[in-house]
Amino acid sequence: MSTRRKLVAGNWKMNGSLVANEALVAGLVAGLGEVACDVMVCPPFPYLAQLRSLLAATPIGLGAQTLSEHPVGAFTGEVEAGMLRELGCRYVLVGHSERRSLFGETDAAVAAKFVAAQGAGLVPVLCVGETLAEREAGLTEQVVSRQLQAVLDLAGFAAFTSALVAYEPVWAIGTGRTASPQQAQAVHAHIRGLLAAGNEAVAAGVSILYGGSVKPQNALELFGQEDIDGGLIGGASLVADDFLAICRAAN
Ligand code: PEP
């Protein structure tokens, strides 16, 4: 049994409104007493300031869904790492599969974002995962290794003392199709093994979250796996009772 503390993160994607966010946070806070794991939420950029204030007196951490790899300057529409820090973010997702597939983020860009995040004192949550075609072609480990290696090449192994990894099979995100606990555990162990090859202590300490249609019904078995240290939750993080039930499964 690992001693790593479990963390459950909510990725709100492009959802929310001032009114809905307030109700969701009120629902979460009301049920937090029974939650023992770390919890954080990642709202869309425009709501970070609102969430900073709503979460101020709570143990819930704040994260952003992406960031720019660039320093401040002429990058219209982008958001720089230090701005996220100033708005109270502790975490930031990097390389979410929707960013990679819909917005063309390459492994190199994801690695640069990871470094930019750490440069501003943010904890990056590096998202990796294979598509269905890649899994069916037997390429899962190869794809995940390539995505992780791009970050290791730029940031080094020690960078993972203040970072998290999220394994999110693309075919399981928002589809209702979850990796079995055994499938997920196998990839998590592979990721930890890659990190252990460079630094065993870092590998033993890094939290690796699972994401992809986690629901109250499947969370307990997933989080019970040796190398699964919590979850990155999309759809179910928008419903307070479901998100809380998933957090309790990580207790
Ligand atoms: C996600 O957005 O990272 C995710 C895992 O979504 P869902 O839980 O809806 O599959």
Side-chain angles (χ1 to χ4, degrees):
M1 192 65 184
S2 94
T3 53
R4 290 180 297 275
R5 214 177 138 67
K6 293 250 194 302
L7 181 137
V8 175
N11 173 15
W12 292 4
K13 309 195 191 210
M14 200 169 71
N15 292 289
S17 69
L18 293 173
V19 171
N21 300 345
E22 205 168 326
L24 179 50
V25 170
L28 294 180
V29 169
L32 267 188
E34 294 162 32
V35 170
C37 67
D38 291 332
V39 179
M40 67 101 154
V41 295
C42 302
F45 287 140
Y47 300 126
L48 286 172
Q50 180 200 20
L51 266 290
R52 177 193 206 179
S53 129
L54 288 175
L55 299 178
T58 81
I60 301 176
L62 184 60
Q65 298 175 12
T66 184
L67 79 166
S68 172
E69 62 268 47
H70 300 292
V72 288
F75 299 100
T76 302
E78 292 291 279
V79 177
E80 183 257 345
M83 298 173 182
L84 298 176
R85 195 82 182 105
E86 193 177 18
L87 277 167
C89 289
R90 168 142 195 252
Y91 303 93
V92 61
L93 308 182
V94 295
H96 189 280
S97 70
E98 287 153 18
R99 302 297 315 170
R100 293 179 191 261
S101 67
L102 302 175
F103 302 101
E105 288 188 7
T106 61
D107 290 339
V110 171
K113 285 170 193 280
F114 182 102
V115 168
Q118 287 196 328
L122 295 164
V123 176
V125 181
L126 172 66
C127 303
V128 297
E130 82 288 1
T131 63
L132 186 57
E134 289 164 340
R135 173 161 284 265
E136 287 176 347
L139 295 174
T140 299
E141 290 194 354
Q142 200 173 310
V143 169
V144 167
S145 301
R146 190 202 72 225
Q147 293 170 334
L148 181 59
Q149 194 59 48
V151 177
L152 288 170
D153 287 347
L154 196 66
F157 285 92
F160 282 83
T161 50
S162 49
L164 292 92
V165 180
Y167 168 56
E168 297 206 305
V170 179
W171 48 272
I173 298 178
T175 59
R177 226 183 126 176
T178 320
S180 71
Q182 295 71 26
Q183 284 174 321
Q185 164 59 25
V187 182
H188 281 234
H190 174 71
I191 292 168
R192 204 176 300 285
L194 291 170
L195 292 169
N199 189 321
E200 280 186 25
V202 167
V206 70
S207 288
I208 307 177
L209 312 181
Y210 169 78
S213 296
V214 178
K215 306 285 177 224
Q217 300 83 332
N218 57 27
L220 195 61
E221 216 191 330
L222 284 161
F223 297 166
Q225 303 299 308
E226 174 64 23
D227 289 293
I228 300 184
D229 305 310
L232 178 53
I233 319 300
S237 72
L238 298 170
V239 180
D241 286 348
D242 287 353
F243 191 59
L244 286 166
I246 292 169
C247 293
R248 286 195 301 273
N251 277 357

